Amino acid sequence: MKHTYKTYIPWMPELPSHWKLERVKNYFNFSCEVVGENYNDFKVLSLSVKGNGVIVRDMESRKGKHSLSMDKYMIIQPNSIVLCLFDMDVTPRIVGHCENEGIITSAYTNIIPKKNIHSKFYYYFFLQQDYNKSLMVQGTGVRTTLTNSQFGAVKIPLPPLEEQIAIANYLDRQSKKIKHFIRKKQAFIELLKEQRQAVISRAVTKGINPDITLKDSGIQWLGDIPEHWEVRKLRYCGQCQNGLNKGGEFFGKGFPFFGYGDIYNNEILPQIPSGLVESTEEEQANCSVEKGDVFFTRTSEIVDEIAIASTCHQTIPNATFSGFLIRFRPTENLLFEGYSTYYFRNELLREYFVKEMNIITRASMSQDLLKSLPIVLPPIEEQVMIYNYIKTETAKIDQAIAKAEKEIELIKEYREAMIAEAVLGKLKVSEL
Protein backbone atom coordinates (compact mmCIF):
# COMPACT_ATOMS: atom_id res chain seq x y z
CA MET A 1 0.00 0.00 0.00
CA LYS A 2 1.33 3.43 -0.96
CA HIS A 3 1.77 5.86 1.97
CA THR A 4 0.68 9.45 1.42
CA TYR A 5 0.09 12.61 3.39
CA LYS A 6 -2.49 15.36 3.01
CA THR A 7 -1.33 18.70 1.66
CA TYR A 8 -4.64 20.58 2.02
CA ILE A 9 -4.00 22.08 -1.41
CA PRO A 10 -7.07 21.58 -3.66
CA TRP A 11 -5.18 20.74 -6.88
CA MET A 12 -2.83 18.25 -5.20
CA PRO A 13 -4.64 17.05 -2.07
CA GLU A 14 -2.09 14.35 -1.23
CA LEU A 15 1.49 13.37 -2.04
CA PRO A 16 3.69 10.31 -1.40
CA SER A 17 4.99 10.39 2.17
CA HIS A 18 8.65 10.56 1.05
CA TRP A 19 8.06 13.65 -1.13
CA LYS A 20 8.69 17.09 0.37
CA LEU A 21 6.52 20.15 -0.15
CA GLU A 22 8.24 23.52 -0.47
CA ARG A 23 7.90 26.81 -2.28
CA VAL A 24 9.01 27.51 -5.86
CA LYS A 25 11.66 30.00 -4.69
CA ASN A 26 13.39 27.24 -2.69
CA TYR A 27 13.89 25.08 -5.77
CA PHE A 28 14.45 27.67 -8.53
CA ASN A 29 16.30 30.89 -9.15
CA PHE A 30 14.47 33.66 -10.99
CA SER A 31 16.55 35.03 -13.86
CA CYS A 32 16.04 38.26 -15.79
CA GLU A 33 19.43 38.91 -17.36
CA VAL A 34 18.88 41.60 -20.00
CA VAL A 35 20.77 40.99 -23.26
CA GLY A 36 21.56 44.62 -24.06
CA GLU A 37 23.13 45.70 -27.33
CA ASN A 38 24.44 42.19 -28.14
CA TYR A 39 20.97 40.83 -29.00
CA ASN A 40 22.03 40.04 -32.59
CA ASP A 41 24.37 37.33 -31.22
CA PHE A 42 21.43 35.28 -29.89
CA LYS A 43 18.59 33.24 -31.31
CA VAL A 44 15.19 34.81 -30.67
CA LEU A 45 12.88 32.44 -28.79
CA SER A 46 9.12 32.27 -28.33
CA LEU A 47 6.71 30.40 -26.08
CA SER A 48 4.70 28.22 -28.46
CA VAL A 49 0.91 28.38 -28.16
CA LYS A 50 0.67 24.90 -29.74
CA GLY A 51 2.32 23.11 -26.86
CA ASN A 52 5.78 22.76 -28.45
CA GLY A 53 7.57 24.44 -25.56
CA VAL A 54 10.05 27.27 -26.12
CA ILE A 55 10.86 27.39 -29.83
CA VAL A 56 13.28 29.31 -32.03
CA ARG A 57 11.33 32.10 -33.65
CA ASP A 58 11.29 32.59 -37.43
CA MET A 59 12.64 36.11 -37.76
CA GLU A 60 12.82 36.08 -41.56
CA SER A 61 9.08 36.57 -41.87
CA ARG A 62 9.15 39.38 -39.30
CA LYS A 63 11.72 41.42 -41.30
CA GLY A 64 13.26 42.94 -38.18
CA LYS A 65 10.14 44.74 -36.96
CA HIS A 66 11.09 44.24 -33.31
CA SER A 67 14.83 44.88 -33.55
CA LEU A 68 14.60 48.25 -31.76
CA SER A 69 13.20 46.68 -28.59
CA MET A 70 15.19 43.42 -28.43
CA ASP A 71 17.93 44.97 -26.30
CA LYS A 72 15.44 44.68 -23.43
CA TYR A 73 14.94 40.92 -24.01
CA MET A 74 16.29 38.50 -21.39
CA ILE A 75 18.79 35.71 -21.95
CA ILE A 76 17.46 32.15 -21.61
CA GLN A 77 19.66 29.11 -20.96
CA PRO A 78 18.90 25.45 -21.83
CA ASN A 79 17.00 23.48 -19.16
CA SER A 80 15.28 26.57 -17.81
CA ILE A 81 11.50 26.92 -17.66
CA VAL A 82 9.67 29.88 -19.18
CA LEU A 83 6.21 30.84 -17.94
CA CYS A 84 3.66 33.40 -19.09
CA LEU A 85 2.18 34.54 -15.79
CA PHE A 86 0.07 37.42 -17.12
CA ASP A 87 -3.23 37.29 -19.01
CA MET A 88 -3.39 33.67 -17.89
CA ASP A 89 -7.15 33.50 -18.41
CA VAL A 90 -6.73 34.03 -22.17
CA THR A 91 -3.25 32.56 -22.82
CA PRO A 92 -3.39 29.21 -24.68
CA ARG A 93 -0.22 27.86 -23.02
CA ILE A 94 1.59 29.34 -20.02
CA VAL A 95 4.65 27.07 -19.69
CA GLY A 96 7.50 25.90 -21.88
CA HIS A 97 10.79 24.00 -21.41
CA CYS A 98 13.81 25.62 -23.03
CA GLU A 99 16.21 23.45 -25.07
CA ASN A 100 18.19 26.32 -26.65
CA GLU A 101 20.19 29.32 -25.54
CA GLY A 102 18.61 32.52 -26.77
CA ILE A 103 16.64 35.62 -25.85
CA ILE A 104 12.95 36.09 -25.15
CA THR A 105 10.71 38.99 -24.14
CA SER A 106 11.24 39.98 -20.52
CA ALA A 107 7.47 39.95 -20.00
CA TYR A 108 7.85 36.22 -19.33
CA THR A 109 9.07 34.62 -16.10
CA ASN A 110 12.27 32.56 -16.40
CA ILE A 111 13.19 30.07 -13.66
CA ILE A 112 16.44 28.07 -13.42
CA PRO A 113 16.60 24.86 -11.38
CA LYS A 114 18.83 24.69 -8.30
CA LYS A 115 20.84 21.63 -7.23
CA ASN A 116 18.98 18.26 -7.26
CA ILE A 117 16.18 19.73 -9.37
CA HIS A 118 15.38 18.14 -12.74
CA SER A 119 13.84 20.87 -14.89
CA LYS A 120 11.91 18.53 -17.19
CA PHE A 121 9.99 17.03 -14.26
CA TYR A 122 8.89 20.51 -13.21
CA TYR A 123 8.01 21.43 -16.77
CA TYR A 124 5.52 18.56 -16.66
CA PHE A 125 4.35 19.62 -13.19
CA PHE A 126 3.64 23.19 -14.30
CA LEU A 127 2.09 21.85 -17.51
CA GLN A 128 -0.32 19.89 -15.33
CA GLN A 129 -1.10 23.10 -13.45
CA ASP A 130 -1.72 24.80 -16.79
CA TYR A 131 -4.17 22.04 -17.71
CA ASN A 132 -6.12 22.29 -14.45
CA LYS A 133 -5.82 26.12 -14.28
CA SER A 134 -4.53 26.01 -10.71
CA LEU A 135 -1.99 28.75 -11.39
CA MET A 136 -4.59 30.88 -13.14
CA VAL A 137 -6.95 30.86 -10.14
CA GLN A 138 -4.12 32.29 -8.01
CA GLY A 139 -3.67 35.21 -10.41
CA THR A 140 -4.85 38.68 -9.43
CA GLY A 141 -5.80 41.90 -11.15
CA VAL A 142 -7.57 42.72 -14.38
CA ARG A 143 -4.92 40.84 -16.39
CA THR A 144 -4.94 37.71 -14.15
CA THR A 145 -1.26 37.98 -13.23
CA LEU A 146 1.12 36.24 -10.81
CA THR A 147 4.13 38.36 -9.84
CA ASN A 148 7.49 36.64 -9.38
CA SER A 149 7.07 37.10 -5.65
CA GLN A 150 3.61 35.50 -5.66
CA PHE A 151 4.75 32.67 -7.92
CA GLY A 152 7.82 32.09 -5.77
CA ALA A 153 5.53 31.46 -2.80
CA VAL A 154 3.51 28.76 -4.62
CA LYS A 155 4.01 25.33 -3.05
CA ILE A 156 5.24 22.48 -5.24
CA PRO A 157 6.37 18.92 -4.48
CA LEU A 158 9.97 17.65 -4.32
CA PRO A 159 10.46 13.95 -5.11
CA PRO A 160 13.98 12.47 -4.82
CA LEU A 161 16.11 13.45 -7.84
CA GLU A 162 16.21 9.93 -9.29
CA GLU A 163 12.43 9.80 -9.14
CA GLN A 164 12.12 13.18 -10.83
CA ILE A 165 14.32 11.91 -13.66
CA ALA A 166 12.43 8.60 -13.97
CA ILE A 167 9.05 10.36 -14.13
CA ALA A 168 10.28 12.92 -16.67
CA ASN A 169 11.80 10.21 -18.88
CA TYR A 170 8.60 8.19 -18.74
CA LEU A 171 6.50 11.21 -19.70
CA ASP A 172 8.94 12.07 -22.50
CA ARG A 173 8.56 8.58 -23.96
CA GLN A 174 4.79 8.53 -23.67
CA SER A 175 4.42 12.08 -24.99
CA LYS A 176 6.54 11.20 -28.02
CA LYS A 177 4.23 8.26 -28.80
CA ILE A 178 1.14 10.42 -28.33
CA LYS A 179 2.50 13.21 -30.56
CA HIS A 180 3.25 10.62 -33.25
CA PHE A 181 -0.30 9.29 -32.98
CA ILE A 182 -1.75 12.81 -33.22
CA ARG A 183 0.41 13.69 -36.25
CA LYS A 184 -0.76 10.56 -38.06
CA LYS A 185 -4.40 11.32 -37.26
CA GLN A 186 -4.01 14.94 -38.37
CA ALA A 187 -2.44 13.81 -41.64
CA PHE A 188 -5.35 11.39 -42.12
CA ILE A 189 -7.83 14.22 -41.46
CA GLU A 190 -6.10 16.40 -44.07
CA LEU A 191 -6.38 13.59 -46.64
CA LEU A 192 -10.08 13.22 -45.84
CA LYS A 193 -10.60 16.97 -46.23
CA GLU A 194 -8.85 16.87 -49.62
CA GLN A 195 -11.08 13.98 -50.63
CA ARG A 196 -14.13 15.93 -49.49
CA GLN A 197 -13.08 18.96 -51.51
CA ALA A 198 -12.46 16.79 -54.58
CA VAL A 199 -16.02 15.43 -54.36
CA ILE A 200 -17.43 18.95 -54.08
CA SER A 201 -15.26 20.49 -56.79
CA ARG A 202 -16.10 17.83 -59.34
CA ALA A 203 -19.83 17.89 -58.61
CA VAL A 204 -20.24 21.69 -58.81
CA THR A 205 -18.12 22.03 -61.97
CA LYS A 206 -18.76 18.77 -63.86
CA GLY A 207 -22.10 17.60 -62.49
CA ILE A 208 -22.90 14.07 -61.33
CA ASN A 209 -23.62 12.42 -64.71
CA PRO A 210 -20.34 10.85 -65.92
CA ASP A 211 -21.68 10.50 -69.47
CA ILE A 212 -22.56 14.14 -69.98
CA THR A 213 -20.97 16.05 -72.88
CA LEU A 214 -18.61 18.79 -71.74
CA LYS A 215 -17.62 22.16 -73.20
CA ASP A 216 -14.83 24.63 -72.53
CA SER A 217 -15.95 27.13 -69.87
CA GLY A 218 -13.46 29.71 -71.15
CA ILE A 219 -12.04 29.99 -67.59
CA GLN A 220 -8.70 28.33 -66.93
CA TRP A 221 -9.22 27.37 -63.29
CA LEU A 222 -12.74 26.12 -64.02
CA GLY A 223 -11.96 23.94 -67.03
CA ASP A 224 -14.65 22.03 -68.90
CA ILE A 225 -18.29 22.09 -67.76
CA PRO A 226 -21.48 20.33 -68.97
CA GLU A 227 -22.53 21.78 -72.32
CA HIS A 228 -26.02 22.78 -71.10
CA TRP A 229 -24.69 24.80 -68.11
CA GLU A 230 -24.28 28.57 -68.15
CA VAL A 231 -21.40 30.67 -66.84
CA ARG A 232 -22.20 34.19 -65.64
CA LYS A 233 -20.37 36.74 -63.57
CA LEU A 234 -21.83 37.21 -60.12
CA ARG A 235 -22.84 40.82 -60.94
CA TYR A 236 -25.48 39.44 -63.35
CA CYS A 237 -26.85 36.95 -60.85
CA GLY A 238 -28.02 39.16 -57.99
CA GLN A 239 -27.20 42.11 -55.72
CA CYS A 240 -24.36 42.76 -53.28
CA GLN A 241 -24.52 44.67 -50.00
CA ASN A 242 -21.87 45.59 -47.43
CA GLY A 243 -22.70 45.02 -43.79
CA LEU A 244 -23.42 47.20 -40.80
CA ASN A 245 -20.83 49.48 -39.16
CA LYS A 246 -21.67 50.86 -35.71
CA GLY A 247 -19.83 51.90 -32.58
CA GLY A 248 -19.01 49.38 -29.88
CA GLU A 249 -21.65 50.80 -27.54
CA PHE A 250 -24.40 49.38 -29.78
CA PHE A 251 -23.27 45.76 -29.41
CA GLY A 252 -24.05 43.12 -26.80
CA LYS A 253 -27.79 43.68 -26.70
CA GLY A 254 -30.67 44.07 -29.13
CA PHE A 255 -31.25 42.02 -32.31
CA PRO A 256 -29.40 39.08 -33.95
CA PHE A 257 -26.06 40.06 -35.50
CA PHE A 258 -23.81 37.90 -37.68
CA GLY A 259 -20.09 38.53 -37.32
CA TYR A 260 -16.98 37.45 -39.18
CA GLY A 261 -16.62 34.19 -37.24
CA ASP A 262 -20.18 33.10 -37.99
CA ILE A 263 -19.30 33.12 -41.68
CA TYR A 264 -15.72 31.89 -41.54
CA ASN A 265 -16.51 28.87 -39.36
CA ASN A 266 -19.72 27.64 -41.03
CA GLU A 267 -20.62 26.44 -44.52
CA ILE A 268 -24.27 26.95 -43.59
CA LEU A 269 -25.19 30.10 -41.68
CA PRO A 270 -26.15 29.21 -38.09
CA GLN A 271 -29.71 30.02 -37.09
CA ILE A 272 -28.46 31.69 -33.92
CA PRO A 273 -25.64 34.19 -34.53
CA SER A 274 -22.83 34.91 -32.09
CA GLY A 275 -23.74 38.56 -31.53
CA LEU A 276 -26.43 41.11 -30.76
CA VAL A 277 -26.74 44.71 -31.92
CA GLU A 278 -29.12 47.60 -31.38
CA SER A 279 -30.22 48.01 -35.00
CA THR A 280 -32.94 50.21 -36.47
CA GLU A 281 -35.75 49.06 -38.77
CA GLU A 282 -33.98 50.76 -41.68
CA GLU A 283 -30.69 48.96 -40.89
CA GLN A 284 -32.55 45.65 -40.61
CA ALA A 285 -34.12 46.25 -44.02
CA ASN A 286 -30.80 47.17 -45.69
CA CYS A 287 -28.73 44.45 -44.02
CA SER A 288 -31.34 41.69 -43.69
CA VAL A 289 -30.52 37.97 -43.63
CA GLU A 290 -32.76 35.89 -45.89
CA LYS A 291 -32.91 32.35 -47.19
CA GLY A 292 -30.57 31.96 -50.18
CA ASP A 293 -28.24 34.82 -49.19
CA VAL A 294 -24.52 34.10 -49.45
CA PHE A 295 -22.16 35.95 -47.11
CA PHE A 296 -18.45 36.48 -47.83
CA THR A 297 -15.65 37.54 -45.51
CA ARG A 298 -14.42 40.86 -46.84
CA THR A 299 -11.23 41.74 -44.96
CA SER A 300 -8.46 39.99 -43.03
CA GLU A 301 -4.73 39.99 -42.35
CA ILE A 302 -4.16 37.29 -44.99
CA VAL A 303 -5.63 36.46 -48.40
CA ASP A 304 -6.52 32.89 -47.40
CA GLU A 305 -9.20 34.23 -45.05
CA ILE A 306 -10.85 36.44 -47.67
CA ALA A 307 -14.03 35.45 -49.57
CA ILE A 308 -14.85 32.52 -47.29
CA ALA A 309 -18.57 31.94 -47.86
CA SER A 310 -21.53 30.87 -45.75
CA THR A 311 -25.03 30.36 -47.17
CA CYS A 312 -28.27 31.14 -45.37
CA HIS A 313 -30.78 28.24 -45.47
CA GLN A 314 -33.45 29.94 -43.36
CA THR A 315 -34.49 33.60 -43.03
CA ILE A 316 -33.48 35.12 -39.66
CA PRO A 317 -36.01 37.84 -38.67
CA ASN A 318 -34.61 41.25 -37.58
CA ALA A 319 -31.03 40.06 -38.16
CA THR A 320 -28.17 42.14 -39.59
CA PHE A 321 -24.54 41.40 -40.45
CA SER A 322 -21.09 42.92 -39.96
CA GLY A 323 -19.34 45.49 -42.12
CA PHE A 324 -16.49 42.99 -42.43
CA LEU A 325 -18.80 40.95 -44.66
CA ILE A 326 -20.48 41.27 -48.06
CA ARG A 327 -23.93 39.80 -48.69
CA PHE A 328 -24.77 38.41 -52.13
CA ARG A 329 -28.51 38.00 -52.70
CA PRO A 330 -29.17 35.89 -55.84
CA THR A 331 -31.91 36.64 -58.33
CA GLU A 332 -35.01 34.61 -57.42
CA ASN A 333 -35.01 30.98 -58.66
CA LEU A 334 -31.50 31.28 -60.07
CA LEU A 335 -29.54 29.52 -57.30
CA PHE A 336 -30.63 26.77 -54.90
CA GLU A 337 -29.19 27.50 -51.44
CA GLY A 338 -27.81 23.97 -51.14
CA TYR A 339 -25.86 24.30 -54.37
CA SER A 340 -24.64 27.76 -53.29
CA THR A 341 -23.37 26.25 -50.04
CA TYR A 342 -20.96 23.97 -51.87
CA TYR A 343 -20.16 26.12 -54.91
CA PHE A 344 -19.09 29.24 -53.03
CA ARG A 345 -17.16 27.27 -50.39
CA ASN A 346 -15.35 25.36 -53.17
CA GLU A 347 -11.56 25.48 -52.93
CA LEU A 348 -11.28 26.11 -56.69
CA LEU A 349 -12.54 29.65 -56.07
CA ARG A 350 -9.47 30.33 -53.94
CA GLU A 351 -7.35 30.46 -57.11
CA TYR A 352 -9.49 33.27 -58.47
CA PHE A 353 -9.40 35.37 -55.30
CA VAL A 354 -5.70 34.81 -54.53
CA LYS A 355 -4.77 35.83 -58.07
CA GLU A 356 -6.97 38.93 -58.11
CA MET A 357 -6.52 40.13 -54.54
CA ASN A 358 -4.60 43.32 -53.81
CA ILE A 359 -2.91 43.66 -50.40
CA ILE A 360 -1.85 46.92 -48.83
CA THR A 361 -1.65 46.49 -45.05
CA ARG A 362 -4.64 44.16 -44.82
CA ALA A 363 -6.17 41.92 -47.43
CA SER A 364 -9.50 43.37 -48.53
CA MET A 365 -12.09 42.38 -51.13
CA SER A 366 -14.12 44.98 -52.96
CA GLN A 367 -17.62 44.45 -54.28
CA ASP A 368 -16.26 44.91 -57.82
CA LEU A 369 -13.88 41.98 -57.37
CA LEU A 370 -16.63 39.78 -55.95
CA LYS A 371 -19.01 40.76 -58.75
CA SER A 372 -16.44 39.57 -61.32
CA LEU A 373 -16.48 36.04 -59.87
CA PRO A 374 -17.69 33.49 -62.46
CA ILE A 375 -20.67 31.38 -61.38
CA VAL A 376 -21.49 28.05 -63.00
CA LEU A 377 -25.27 27.70 -63.34
CA PRO A 378 -26.84 24.28 -63.87
CA PRO A 379 -30.65 24.16 -64.17
CA ILE A 380 -32.24 24.64 -60.74
CA GLU A 381 -33.51 21.02 -60.64
CA GLU A 382 -29.97 19.78 -61.30
CA GLN A 383 -28.61 22.05 -58.56
CA VAL A 384 -30.89 20.25 -56.09
CA MET A 385 -29.66 16.86 -57.33
CA ILE A 386 -26.02 17.97 -57.03
CA TYR A 387 -26.63 19.21 -53.49
CA ASN A 388 -28.23 15.92 -52.43
CA TYR A 389 -25.39 13.93 -54.01
CA ILE A 390 -22.67 15.98 -52.30
CA LYS A 391 -24.49 15.86 -48.97
CA THR A 392 -24.67 12.06 -49.15
CA GLU A 393 -21.07 11.57 -50.28
CA THR A 394 -19.53 14.04 -47.84
CA ALA A 395 -21.56 12.69 -44.91
CA LYS A 396 -19.41 9.54 -44.96
CA ILE A 397 -16.23 11.60 -45.03
CA ASP A 398 -17.48 13.98 -42.32
CA GLN A 399 -18.16 11.00 -40.06
CA ALA A 400 -14.61 9.74 -40.57
CA ILE A 401 -13.20 13.22 -39.83
CA ALA A 402 -15.32 13.54 -36.68
CA LYS A 403 -14.17 10.11 -35.49
CA ALA A 404 -10.49 10.98 -36.02
CA GLU A 405 -10.90 14.35 -34.28
CA LYS A 406 -12.58 12.63 -31.34
CA GLU A 407 -9.68 10.16 -31.11
CA ILE A 408 -7.27 13.10 -30.96
CA GLU A 409 -9.29 14.72 -28.17
CA LEU A 410 -9.40 11.47 -26.20
CA ILE A 411 -5.65 10.90 -26.48
CA LYS A 412 -5.04 14.49 -25.33
CA GLU A 413 -7.31 13.90 -22.34
CA TYR A 414 -5.40 10.68 -21.61
CA ARG A 415 -2.10 12.59 -21.79
CA GLU A 416 -3.35 15.21 -19.33
CA ALA A 417 -4.53 12.50 -16.91
CA MET A 418 -1.24 10.59 -17.29
CA ILE A 419 0.84 13.69 -16.53
CA ALA A 420 -1.28 14.49 -13.46
CA GLU A 421 -0.93 10.94 -12.14
CA ALA A 422 2.84 10.94 -12.67
CA VAL A 423 3.79 14.37 -11.29
CA LEU A 424 1.61 13.92 -8.20
CA GLY A 425 3.20 10.59 -7.36
CA LYS A 426 0.24 8.35 -8.13
CA LEU A 427 2.43 6.13 -10.30
CA LYS A 428 5.19 4.17 -8.60
CA VAL A 429 8.68 4.59 -9.98
CA SER A 430 8.77 0.84 -10.56
CA GLU A 431 5.79 1.25 -12.91
CA LEU A 432 7.64 3.85 -14.97
Side-chain angles (χ1 to χ4, degrees):
M1 183 177 177
K2 196 169 190 177
H3 297 289
T4 62
Y5 68 94
K6 294 186 182 299
T7 66
Y8 301 100
I9 299 174
W11 46 88
M12 51 177 181
E14 61 181 26
L15 292 172
S17 56
H18 65 291
W19 287 23
K20 296 180 181 178
L21 185 65
E22 291 284 350
R23 300 184 187 278
V24 169
K25 63 184 178 182
N26 295 332
Y27 300 158
F28 291 90
N29 291 314
F30 287 75
S31 175
C32 190
E33 181 184 357
V34 176
V35 63
E37 62 184 16
N38 296 322
Y39 61 83
N40 283 324
D41 297 335
F42 292 83
K43 296 176 180 176
V44 180
L45 307 179
S46 178
L47 181 58
S48 170
V49 299
K50 295 183 179 179
N52 297 321
V54 179
I55 60 173
V56 178
R57 187 166 150 192
D58 177 13
M59 295 305 295
E60 291 298 321
S61 61
R62 304 293 296 184
K63 298 182 180 179
K65 286 185 178 180
H66 297 279
S67 60
L68 293 178
S69 62
M70 280 193 225
D71 58 338
K72 301 292 195 298
Y73 277 31
M74 62 180 171
I75 298 174
I76 304 292
Q77 299 294 341
N79 292 319
S80 60
I81 297 174
V82 174
L83 300 106
C84 178
L85 298 179
F86 58 92
D87 294 336
M88 289 187 289
D89 55 332
V90 294
T91 301
R93 177 55 47 83
I94 69 167
V95 59
H97 186 264
C98 186
E99 308 286 348
N100 301 280
E101 182 183 28
I103 57 174
I104 200 166
T105 172
S106 56
Y108 292 143
T109 297
N110 176 34
I111 58 175
I112 301 172
K114 295 182 179 179
K115 187 178 180 180
N116 293 326
I117 298 299
H118 187 62
S119 64
K120 204 61 181 292
F121 169 82
Y122 285 97
Y123 160 69
Y124 283 116
F125 176 79
F126 291 126
L127 187 61
Q128 183 260 344
Q129 290 198 299
D130 187 15
Y131 288 146
N132 66 24
K133 305 301 180 186
S134 57
L135 282 177
M136 186 192 76
V137 299
Q138 299 175 76
T140 59
V142 176
R143 299 189 65 180
T144 315
T145 299
L146 272 177
T147 66
N148 285 357
S149 177
Q150 290 169 326
F151 179 60
V154 170
K155 289 187 175 180
I156 55 176
L158 177 66
L161 178 60
E162 62 274 11
E163 204 168 338
Q164 294 176 41
I165 295 171
I167 291 171
N169 289 343
Y170 169 77
L171 292 176
D172 278 346
R173 291 193 301 271
Q174 296 302 109
S175 294
K176 185 176 180 180
K177 293 176 184 177
I178 290 170
K179 286 180 180 179
H180 179 68
F181 173 86
I182 291 174
R183 281 196 298 268
K184 287 182 68 175
K185 286 294 177 183
Q186 288 172 335
F188 177 59
I189 289 171
E190 288 306 308
L191 287 174
L192 289 172
K193 288 181 177 179
E194 290 175 11
Q195 181 184 348
R196 186 181 191 274
Q197 270 302 320
V199 170
I200 294 171
S201 294
R202 178 163 184 82
V204 298
T205 61
K206 302 291 187 288
I208 56 178
N209 181 357
D211 300 321
I212 199 73
T213 302
L214 301 177
K215 66 178 180 182
D216 184 4
S217 68
I219 301 165
Q220 185 177 1
W221 58 264
L222 192 55
D224 293 339
I225 62 172
E227 62 177 357
H228 64 290
W229 289 15
E230 289 185 69
V231 179
R232 298 187 200 172
K233 289 188 176 181
L234 183 138
R235 70 173 69 251
Y236 303 117
C237 298
Q239 301 295 321
C240 289
Q241 171 69 46
N242 283 5
L244 192 63
N245 288 302
K246 293 176 78 87
E249 66 273 16
F250 292 97
F251 291 89
K253 56 186 180 298
F255 298 98
F257 180 78
F258 288 91
Y260 190 100
D262 294 315
I263 308 308
Y264 187 83
N265 296 319
N266 299 283
E267 287 181 340
I268 298 174
L269 198 70
Q271 294 185 29
I272 301 176
S274 60
L276 295 171
V277 67
E278 291 182 312
S279 53
T280 65
E281 289 186 6
E282 182 180 0
E283 288 169 336
Q284 292 172 18
N286 290 336
C287 299
S288 58
V289 178
E290 297 182 5
K291 181 179 180 180
D293 288 348
V294 184
F295 296 88
F296 295 88
T297 56
R298 186 178 66 81
T299 181
S300 181
E301 297 291 342
I302 57 175
V303 174
D304 288 345
E305 294 179 353
I306 295 295
I308 303 299
S310 181
T311 302
C312 180
H313 284 217
Q314 181 175 327
T315 297
I316 314 294
N318 305 317
T320 55
F321 59 96
S322 167
F324 293 110
L325 308 170
I326 297 177
R327 182 195 69 201
F328 165 60
R329 179 164 290 168
T331 302
E332 190 174 355
N333 296 324
L334 188 68
L335 281 166
F336 172 60
E337 61 270 11
Y339 177 79
S340 293
T341 298
Y342 292 121
Y343 182 79
F344 291 110
R345 197 82 174 197
N346 176 16
E347 282 295 321
L348 284 177
L349 271 61
R350 307 307 311 152
E351 184 172 334
Y352 167 79
F353 287 111
V354 169
K355 181 181 178 181
E356 300 294 332
M357 188 68 62
N358 292 318
I359 301 178
I360 303 175
T361 54
R362 285 176 63 90
S364 184
M365 178 179 66
S366 66
Q367 279 198 26
D368 283 342
L369 175 59
L370 181 60
K371 288 175 180 178
S372 296
L373 174 69
I375 300 180
V376 180
L377 292 171
I380 197 77
E381 300 82 4
E382 195 171 349
Q383 292 181 35
V384 175
M385 293 171 62
I386 290 170
Y387 167 72
N388 290 331
Y389 169 82
I390 294 174
K391 189 176 180 181
T392 300
E393 291 300 310
T394 57
K396 304 170 190 175
I397 301 172
D398 290 342
Q399 287 176 4
I401 291 173
K403 181 181 178 183
E405 289 175 339
K406 182 64 176 177
E407 288 172 347
I408 289 175
E409 288 306 309
L410 288 174
I411 199 70
K412 287 180 177 179
E413 289 174 9
Y414 167 76
R415 181 173 185 259
E416 290 183 22
M418 173 189 67
I419 290 173
E421 293 260 314
V423 300
L424 297 180
K426 295 180 181 179
L427 294 176
K428 293 181 181 178
V429 174
S430 60
E431 296 173 343
L432 306 179

